[in-house]
Amino acid sequence: MTKYPRQESHAVPMEEGTRLRPTPVANSKKQGALGWRGLVIGMAMGLGLMGCERLPVDVNQGGYRGTGMEQVVNPRIEAVKLAANQAPPALEPVEEGGPKASQVYQNVQVLGDLSVAQFNRLMVAMTAWVSPEQGCAYCHNVQNFADDGLYTKLVARRMTQMTQTINDRWQAHVGQTGVTCFTCHRGQNLPEKRWFTEPEMQIAGRLLGNDSGQNRAGVEAVANSDLPYDPYTPFLLESNPIRVNGTTALPTGNRMSTKQTEWTYALMMHMSDGLGVNCTYCHNTRAIAEWEQSPPARVTAWYGIRMVREINNEFITGLTPIHPPNRLGVMGDIAKVNCATCHQGVNKPLYGAQMLKAHPELSGPNALKDAMEIRGPGKPIAPQSQGPEPTPSPTSFLKGSASTGQLEGHAVARAN
């Protein structure tokens, strides 16, 4: 067998009985360089794919084939959400009848029509929903339960009115599922998902100038995108126009700018992330702006935006004067709600668990009227009027086919 100098070639072992062939050193170096390049490229591709979800994923089709009307669900992420969105077991029901709470207890301004047994059952449930560690003492002076000295009691009273109003007036959004204190609080004093108004950017002496309210890394409000990072104040506290799409192929007077469009997209990013869905949950991919071709969920969302505005303006901002400084934001404003406050990453809060059935006392009739009449010691808690909302021009919402033009009697607005 011919021997080759070790300095000039590498012998590659072959199967027994096979003559060894020399591998030139130059070729070996070339292959090594290619190997390193491949490794670097592979690592770069791997890092690039780290932002993608690992297969397998489930795809739920919600429209005709080829239109992209589908929701992509990662079963591993869904399992985590499912564990975090479990409703607590309901307390045992109590017998009806007996004296009213307002006849036995002092200073019962909101739930006085309940029997004593019903009232105490609800108080136990609310304690578990909002202050399981502090107990009754979180809202009450345990030496005198009639005392209104703790601001948390005034807040709880107002939040009870708010909950009744949502269940009474906003069934177009919450349906028969309704909401309870647990929907937002999840066993915590403050809902995890809440927001404060962002301060204006100070641009004096700043080399980068004004960021126009966008391009900040790690902003959860807009799902870490570079869009304006406070979509809540203009749309969920104020009532600025949301719709920016034109309705014709050629320009016919739509004066909405690219900057205004980015603010709308920021709100859409929040809603998508807050509900754990993509655009096609509410919109048709071939005609994003058209109500007639949108899924029914868009109607529910339309009402939801207005419901959130009412909650923030009529029930929450008026509570600002009684809050201690440590509960306020840097602008001195109170924490407010958005879509994620209730939804927390799923399209139906608590996956549609109907907690209201176990607590019908939270769906009182004429709740908004009662809430406006009751002020008690907290006159600064009076709701702030935002003025009448412009009457939208309704249009029929198409469900099923082009001939029906109906969605179970719903009328929808073209504006916003």
Side-chain angles (χ1 to χ4, degrees), residues 181-337:
C181 313
F182 186 82
T183 308
C184 297
H185 283 267
R186 312 291 177 97
Q188 303 179 59
N189 299 157
L190 299 174
E192 179 185 357
K193 304 296 184 181
R194 57 192 190 276
W195 65 275
F196 300 95
T197 296
E198 288 282 342
E200 290 187 14
M201 171 62 64
Q202 300 298 319
I203 62 174
R206 191 171 183 266
L207 293 177
L208 296 179
N210 193 345
D211 64 3
S212 297
Q214 59 189 49
N215 294 312
R216 287 191 186 179
V219 178
E220 182 182 358
V222 288
N224 299 317
S225 67
D226 62 350
L227 294 167
Y229 46 76
D230 181 15
Y232 311 136
T233 300
F235 303 126
L236 301 183
L237 184 64
E238 302 168 0
S239 55
N240 289 293
I242 297 175
R243 182 168 182 145
V244 294
N245 300 70
T247 57
T248 57
L250 298 176
T252 54
N254 182 4
R255 306 299 298 172
M256 292 297 182
S257 66
T258 301
K259 188 172 183 178
Q260 288 171 296
T261 304
E262 288 178 336
W263 283 95
T264 292
Y265 269 66
L267 177 65
M268 296 297 105
M269 288 294 290
H270 158 66
M271 297 179 73
S272 174
D273 191 54
L275 275 67
V277 297
N278 59 31
C279 307
T280 57
Y281 188 72
C282 291
H283 295 275
N284 189 313
T285 51
R286 68 170 300 278
I288 289 286
E290 289 297 324
W291 281 100
E292 290 84 356
Q293 301 184 47
S294 298
R298 187 177 178 188
V299 180
T300 307
W302 188 91
Y303 285 109
I305 291 171
R306 283 145 186 83
M307 182 190 75
V308 171
R309 281 183 195 153
E310 179 175 286
I311 291 171
N312 285 328
N313 287 292
E314 301 293 340
F315 291 97
I316 293 182
T317 55
L319 292 165
T320 305
I322 66 171
H323 270 67
N326 65 305
R327 286 285 176 91
L328 303 177
V330 295
M331 300 294 291
D333 62 318
I334 193 173
K336 295 167 285 293
V337 303

Side-chain angles (χ1 to χ4, degrees), residues 30 144 167 286 414:
K30 183 177 181 181
N144 179 10
N167 293 324
R286 68 170 300 278
R414 288 188 181 279

